[in-house]
Every structure is written in C-alpha cells, then in structure tokens.
Amino acid sequence: MAGLAISANDLLLVADVQNDFCPGGTLAVAGGDAVVAPINRLGRRFPHVALTQDWHPPGHTSFASSHPGHQPFDTIDLPYGPQVLWPDHCVQGSPGAAFHPGLDLPHAELVIRKGFRQDIDSYSAFRDNDRRTPTGLAGYLRERGFRRVVLAGLATDYCVRFSAIDAREYGFEALVIEDACRAIAGGDAYIQALGEMRAAGVLILNEADFPA
Ligand code: VGL
Ligand code: ZN
C-alpha cells in the first residue's frame, strides 16, 4: 500500500505509557514496554504529540482494595455503570504513575491526566467512564485545528479503545497503530475490542503503514 502521509492536522496521542502498565508494574500489560521503541520512532515523525497519564488518588474507586470482599479483575456496579476493579496503580505522584523512562518525546505539547476524580474511573482521554465528565481534550483539539488523532500505547483494549471510539464520537478521524499498542486481554476479548473500534470507524493499522 502507498502508505499514509502525516499532516499538520494530525496529533499522535500516546496512551498511558507508565511504569505501572509495564513489566514490573502493579498492572503490568504483557510486553507493555515493547511499545516504547515504536512510539519513540513514530514520535520523531509527528510534529504534534500529546500524552495521556492515568492519575488516580489513593483509594480510587477503580481499585479492588477500595471494595472489601472484591478482587482485582472483578466487575462491580457503580452509579455510572459496570466497572472492572484493578490492582492499585498509577497513584498520583508515585513512581508507578511516572512515564516509562525510555519514552523519548520531548516535543510532546500536552499531557492529559485522567482518572483523578475519586469516584469515577476514566479510560478515555476524552471523558470519564460516566461518559458525561469531559477531560477537555475535544475542545483543545478543536481549538488547535487537529482533525485526526493517531493512537498508540497502553492498553489497546482500555485507554486506546475508549479514546479512539470517543475521538470518532467527538468528530475526529481516529487511527490506531496496533503494533505500537499492547492489550490487557487476549483472545476473543481482544478481537472484540478491535471489532468495536472498526465498527466506530476507527482505522487499525501498523507502524509500517507510515512510510519513512
Ligand atoms: C487503564 C486499566 C486501568 C487504561 C487505566 O487506561 O488502559 N486500564 N486504568
Ligand atoms: Zn487506571
């Protein structure tokens, strides 16, 4: 294929490349650190880069430890809907919440923090899991004239998926670089996550689709 050109209307949005989502972290994604090299390469080619950072207060509602009797990866009903419970992760200011030390994106223009409200989780870079509390990213993108959001990072089936689908809902083109992402789930759940994104009009491709 001819490949995709990168334009001034594109933003590379790098999802949650944080220590806790990498091997050795409390919510490690298999091969999570393998996204660092392709993201650094892509980052050098995108004039505009933004990062998301999962950023929870201690005792956050998404932590299993906040719900006695529950274990990580249980799903419970919260006022805004079903919520997967996680090990404590990405606690504000902790080493686990810091970006992976190998991430090399000094020209990143924005860090969007999410999940900082005690009682609402946030996978999407655009809005919290209640689907009503915006992060401000859509307004930022519109005001700066970005038209296309190109996503990479962690995790494919959570932050990347919800951010990509919301990008479409907020009126942007959305594109996921699959081999610059890693997922929490595998198998059918992973295939379903990809299918949901495609159904929402998200293009799924790979680093090689951006020719040098
Ligand atoms: C995420 C699980 C827990 C994500 C955040 O952003 O992918 N996943 N917190
Ligand atoms: Zn989280």
Side-chain angles (χ1 to χ4, degrees):
M1 97 183 248
L4 282 124
I6 296 167
S7 91
N9 300 323
D10 291 339
L11 179 82
L12 178 67
L13 185 60
V14 176
D16 295 3
V17 183
Q18 293 167 260
N19 291 322
D20 272 341
F21 293 122
C22 292
T26 60
L27 182 41
V29 178
D33 53 347
V35 305
V36 171
I39 286 173
N40 288 345
R41 284 193 297 269
L42 285 159
R44 286 193 276 276
R45 309 187 38 205
F46 276 81
H48 304 291
V49 177
L51 313 174
T52 70
Q53 191 171 28
D54 208 34
W55 197 250
H56 301 307
H60 188 246
T61 193
S62 76
F63 297 170
S65 62
S66 305
H67 303 274
H70 285 281
Q71 305 301 317
F73 309 104
D74 286 354
T75 299
I76 62 165
D77 282 311
L78 289 182
Y80 55 81
Q83 171 69 47
V84 178
L85 298 180
W86 305 106
D88 290 22
H89 66 280
C90 298
V91 172
Q92 295 171 357
S94 69
F99 292 115
H100 186 287
L103 204 60
D104 186 20
L105 301 168
H107 60 308
E109 295 166 357
L110 175 74
V111 176
I112 189 111
R113 287 176 167 168
K114 61 186 185 63
F116 52 76
R117 289 185 183 79
Q118 193 73 39
D119 299 318
I120 322 180
D121 201 7
S122 186
Y123 299 138
S124 168
F126 289 89
R127 58 181 163 181
D128 288 357
N129 287 6
D130 64 357
R131 299 176 58 82
R132 295 166 352 113
T133 306
T135 61
L137 179 60
Y140 176 89
L141 296 179
R142 279 189 203 115
E143 197 161 358
R144 294 213 38 210
F146 293 118
R147 305 260 292 279
R148 189 165 71 162
V149 179
V150 180
L151 287 119
L154 307 171
T156 324
D157 43 346
Y158 286 92
C159 186
V160 173
R161 167 170 58 142
F162 285 82
S163 298
I165 291 172
D166 277 350
R168 298 290 301 134
E169 280 200 29
Y170 283 97
F172 303 95
E173 289 177 53
L175 206 147
V176 168
I177 308 177
E178 189 183 3
D179 59 357
C181 299
R182 289 295 182 280
I184 291 175
D188 288 348
Y190 179 71
I191 299 300
Q192 191 189 325
L194 290 185
E196 255 181 52
M197 288 193 274
R198 288 198 177 97
V202 177
L203 280 176
I204 314 277
L205 31 77
N206 288 300
E207 185 189 357
D209 293 318
F210 294 90

